[in-house]
Amino acid sequence: MDARDATPSRKRARRRLIAAFRRYGGLFALGTVFLVATQACALSVPQLLRIATDALVDADLDTVFRMAWGLVGLAALGAVTRVASRLLIFNSGRGVEYDLRQDAFVHLCRLAPSFFARMPLAQVMSRMVNDLTQVRLLLGPGVLNLTNTFLVYLVVIPLLLWTDWELTLLALLPLPILLLLGRTFARFIYTYSAEAQDRLGRLSTKVQENLTGTMTVRVYGEEAEEERRFRGLNEHYLETNLKLARLRGILFPLMGLAGSIGSVVVLAVGGYRIADGAMTVGQFVQFNAYLAALTWPTIALGWTISLWQRGVAAMDRLGDIYEAPPTLVDGPRPVEGPGGAFRGRVEVQHLSISYGRVQALDDVSLTIEPGQTVVLVGKTGAGKSTLMKVLARLVEVPDGTVFVDGADINQLPLRFVREGIGYAPQDAFLFSRSLRENVAFGWPDAAAEAVESAVQTAALDTDAAGFPEGLETMVGERGITLSGGQRQRTTLARALLVEPRVLLLDDTLSAVDSETEQKILEGLEKAKDQTVVIATHRLNVAGLADRIVVMEGGRVVEQGTESELLASGGAYATLHARDQRRRRARVA
């Protein structure tokens, strides 16, 4: 695909590739020098063959042996320079791949959760692994073969013309037509390459979804249906790759056709010239050797075109990551220290947030004073989790709507805010590491006593004592070896360990029994200087709060102490009465 056909985002992605290429410009240049030396050795061979052949015709064996030793020397020198050129250019391509992958990972870590809601995880992985591999092949073998082809054509064609210009024009007559066909094929290869890589991403998404949700698939007996859907995606991927294979299967023989036609022409016309005395046998051998030197670069040009288009298509797809703007960025306002000035006063003023057409928060206003315990209650979908993500600085908010210690949260450095706020989400995520490493994720150098204290406050100490290796027990991918309650308490201990000024618990105790929950709440209550915000559907937790905030449809409908809300007879009183009836029904 031509650069003029590229969109602005694709052009920026390609500029990024060129910039990464320039970082290794010295190694690429040195590799090119060795490549020139390799071709100099290879293209000196026809000259020696001409001299040796003519000497052989004249029975000059001394000259033949000298040329033979010359060929041996050129072969040895060419082998050394060939290896050096490949090491330098291929390793430079790997260096570019490393830098691009590192840049992409750092950029992904800065993107907001809304980006990953638009691009499935498997699509991101496909770009980070498969597409970057294609870019590396473009910059390694692709650049080497393209440079090699250019050098060969640059040197060999003038040598052919110097040897016999008429025979050269006849031998190379089909070449311009084949190059034009190669350019046409390149457009189709780009299209099918981009389509194949996109379908591979979809296939990866399906695999990732089914492996993650394998229990759900089995429970509902949907194995056959999921197999059918996977087969359809797999067939589409196969179909696109077969199109690519057919194109390459046609393109490579076409490129080789130039050398074959040229050889036939040289054999026919060259034979007459030798018979007429216009060309010696040595010159004929030299001419054929030069023409043969053009054959592989011409064939390789077809492979290089394919490689180039796949690499460009891959870089364009990587542009979807590189061009995604990080919306959660550091604010310009300096702070006194990394969390030292964080007191824990949080204020929300007329905040509204929507996801597409869904209004998640609608004109929310509330103030949380330092040291308070505030409980958010409401039905599912009331906006509690969204508000918790707002306070954790995980969701983009308009300027002038959320304040920390009187400062607009958008004006503060991200690190300052996140060091002062601990967040235990509803969906507990654990890494495939030991239990201790998961708890200490936010503070890897924490002392053993601090880790054990956090584990005890989260009421996880008894469970950990029963594990085969205690806190050193590996929890498996996503904590699969733990129960839901154990995973939640592990993430709670992780948040407690960093001793944040504001602790956000987003329904973190939903999978914990009431006795364990009470133990945890008693442990949290001892930290009176810590601001605690709990989103929950359990009203027994609300009874321990300094203030209760009731949410409905993304709005704060009432707030106050439990006694005040029960006396008012509003939404909380209705929820409380319903909860009491359910409790009595369970007891009965």
Side-chain angles (χ1 to χ4, degrees):
M1 186 173 185
D2 292 342
R4 62 175 178 272
D5 298 324
T7 63
S9 62
R10 288 175 175 176
K11 289 180 180 178
R12 287 192 293 270
R14 296 175 193 185
R15 283 198 294 268
R16 181 184 295 273
L17 177 62
I18 293 171
F21 183 84
R22 285 174 179 167
R23 296 177 202 168
Y24 295 86
L27 290 178
F28 274 111
L30 186 58
T32 302
V33 169
F34 278 105
L35 193 59
V36 170
T38 301
Q39 290 305 323
C41 291
L43 297 179
S44 298
V45 169
Q47 296 283 352
L48 299 186
L49 285 175
R50 175 181 61 79
I51 297 172
T53 303
D54 286 339
L56 190 61
V57 171
D58 296 336
D60 185 358
L61 295 182
D62 289 339
T63 301
V64 172
F65 283 122
R66 285 200 307 274
M67 295 303 103
W69 281 112
L71 290 172
V72 171
L74 286 175
L77 181 61
V80 172
T81 57
R82 186 181 299 276
V83 170
S85 67
R86 275 157 173 70
L87 285 176
L88 289 167
I89 294 178
F90 287 178
N91 288 345
S92 299
R94 291 186 182 278
V96 173
E97 178 193 22
Y98 170 85
D99 289 348
L100 289 174
R101 182 172 281 117
Q102 188 71 18
D103 292 345
F105 179 79
V106 171
H107 188 68
L108 283 169
C109 291
R110 297 175 59 208
L111 295 177
S114 56
F115 170 81
F116 299 97
R118 297 191 304 270
M119 181 178 287
L121 180 60
Q123 285 281 3
V124 175
M125 293 300 298
S126 178
R127 285 163 169 76
M128 288 288 289
V129 177
N130 300 311
D131 290 341
L132 274 170
T133 298
Q134 293 299 328
V135 171
R136 190 248 304 162
L137 291 174
L138 163 65
L139 294 178
V143 167
L144 185 141
N145 280 287
L146 191 64
T147 306
N148 187 60
T149 301
F150 173 77
L151 289 173
V152 170
Y153 273 69
L154 184 67
V155 176
V156 170
I157 291 179
L159 287 174
L160 285 172
L161 291 170
W162 174 74
T163 303
D164 192 320
W165 68 270
E166 291 179 341
L167 189 56
T168 299
L169 293 179
L170 289 173
L172 300 183
L173 189 61
L175 189 59
I177 300 173
L178 293 176
L179 293 177
L180 185 62
L181 286 173
R183 177 182 171 85
T184 304
F185 271 74
R187 290 178 173 272
F188 289 104
I189 289 174
Y190 174 89
T191 302
Y192 290 143
S193 294
E195 183 180 337
Q197 286 157 255
D198 182 63
R199 288 186 171 179
L200 178 60
R202 295 182 190 180
L203 197 65
S204 303
T205 300
K206 174 55 69 176
V207 172
Q208 186 259 336
E209 287 177 347
N210 275 265
L211 293 181
T212 304
T214 182
M215 297 299 292
T216 304
V217 173
R218 292 177 183 177
V219 165
Y220 288 93
E222 289 294 305
E223 294 94 336
E225 178 62 19
E226 289 303 306
E227 287 175 11
R228 185 190 65 79
R229 291 174 181 171
F230 181 83
R231 186 181 299 109
L233 291 172
N234 205 12
E235 286 174 355
H236 288 157
Y237 179 56
L238 174 63
E239 177 188 338
T240 306
N241 274 292
L242 287 176
K243 290 179 182 177
L244 269 173
R246 292 188 199 105
L247 280 176
R248 290 198 296 265
I250 296 172
L251 181 59
F252 297 164
L254 275 178
M255 291 301 177
L257 187 62
S260 300
I261 294 175
S263 298
V264 172
V265 171
V266 170
L267 188 60
V269 178
Y272 284 111
R273 289 186 177 276
I274 293 173
D276 292 342
M279 176 182 280
T280 68
V281 175
Q283 288 175 324
F284 179 79
V285 170
Q286 173 185 286
F287 193 94
N288 265 297
Y290 280 137
L291 194 62
L294 283 180
T295 302
W296 165 246
T298 303
I299 296 173
L301 186 60
W303 178 71
T304 304
I305 289 172
S306 173
L307 207 61
W308 187 273
Q309 293 303 326
R310 291 174 73 92
V312 170
M315 197 63 205
D316 289 345
R317 278 167 46 84
L318 283 164
D320 295 338
I321 293 177
Y322 292 122
E323 295 302 313
T327 51
L328 296 174
V329 296
D330 285 327
R333 179 169 173 167
V335 293
E336 297 177 13
F342 203 106
R343 297 188 303 275
R345 186 178 191 275
V346 180
E347 186 178 1
V348 180
Q349 296 181 359
H350 305 291
L351 173 64
S352 296
I353 291 178
S354 60
Y355 301 129
R357 297 181 180 180
V358 179
Q359 190 75 29
L361 295 178
D362 185 10
D363 196 29
V364 171
S365 296
L366 62 91
T367 301
I368 303 171
E369 298 294 343
Q372 277 191 336
T373 297
V374 176
V375 173
L376 308 178
V377 299
K379 299 177 182 178
T380 301
K384 303 187 298 298
S385 292
T386 299
L387 182 56
M388 297 292 270
K389 290 175 183 176
V390 165
L391 300 181
R393 192 73 165 92
L394 296 176
V395 176
E396 308 96 304
V397 297
D399 292 336
T401 56
V402 181
F403 299 85
V404 173
D405 294 336
D408 189 331
I409 198 170
N410 289 338
Q411 297 296 309
L412 296 172
L414 285 171
R415 189 172 186 82
F416 172 78
V417 175
R418 288 175 179 167
E419 284 185 344
I421 296 178
Y423 176 55
Q426 181 178 1
D427 183 17
F429 179 85
L430 300 184
F431 297 91
S432 184
R433 303 178 189 174
S434 69
L435 187 61
R436 181 185 298 277
E437 288 176 302
N438 272 285
V439 172
F441 180 75
W443 186 9
D445 299 326
E449 294 79 7
V451 174
E452 291 166 5
S453 176
V455 168
Q456 184 176 8
T457 304
L460 189 62
D461 51 338
T462 304
D463 299 74
F467 293 153
E469 300 178 45
L471 290 177
E472 305 304 326
T473 302
M474 297 297 292
V475 302
E477 187 175 1
R478 295 176 177 264
I480 194 172
T481 60
L482 304 182
S483 68
Q486 289 169 338
R487 288 196 295 270
Q488 286 189 337
R489 281 176 283 156
T490 302
T491 58
L492 173 59
R494 179 192 294 164
L496 291 170
L497 178 64
V498 296
E499 299 179 349
R501 297 294 302 160
V502 177
L503 179 62
L504 307 176
L505 306 180
D506 185 8
D507 215 3
T508 309
L509 308 179
S510 61
V512 175
D513 62 80
S514 57
E515 183 179 343
T516 304
E517 178 186 55
Q518 187 64 32
K519 182 180 178 181
I520 294 171
L521 293 173
E522 289 173 358
L524 293 175
E525 200 173 7
K526 295 177 183 178
K528 290 296 183 183
D529 59 338
Q530 188 177 56
T531 304
V532 181
V533 184
I534 304 174
T536 183
H537 63 280
R538 292 184 174 181
L539 298 191
N540 59 318
V541 177
L544 302 174
D546 297 312
R547 186 152 52 91
I548 300 169
V549 177
V550 185
M551 300 187 69
E552 286 184 4
R555 299 179 64 89
V556 173
V557 294
E558 58 183 11
Q559 53 182 309
T561 64
E562 185 172 45
S563 58
E564 291 171 347
L565 296 179
L566 289 174
S568 68
Y572 182 78
T574 302
L575 290 172
H576 188 272
R578 188 179 301 155
D579 183 68
Q580 292 298 313
R581 287 196 298 271
R582 281 199 298 264
R583 287 171 181 267
R584 287 193 294 269
R586 283 198 298 268
V587 172

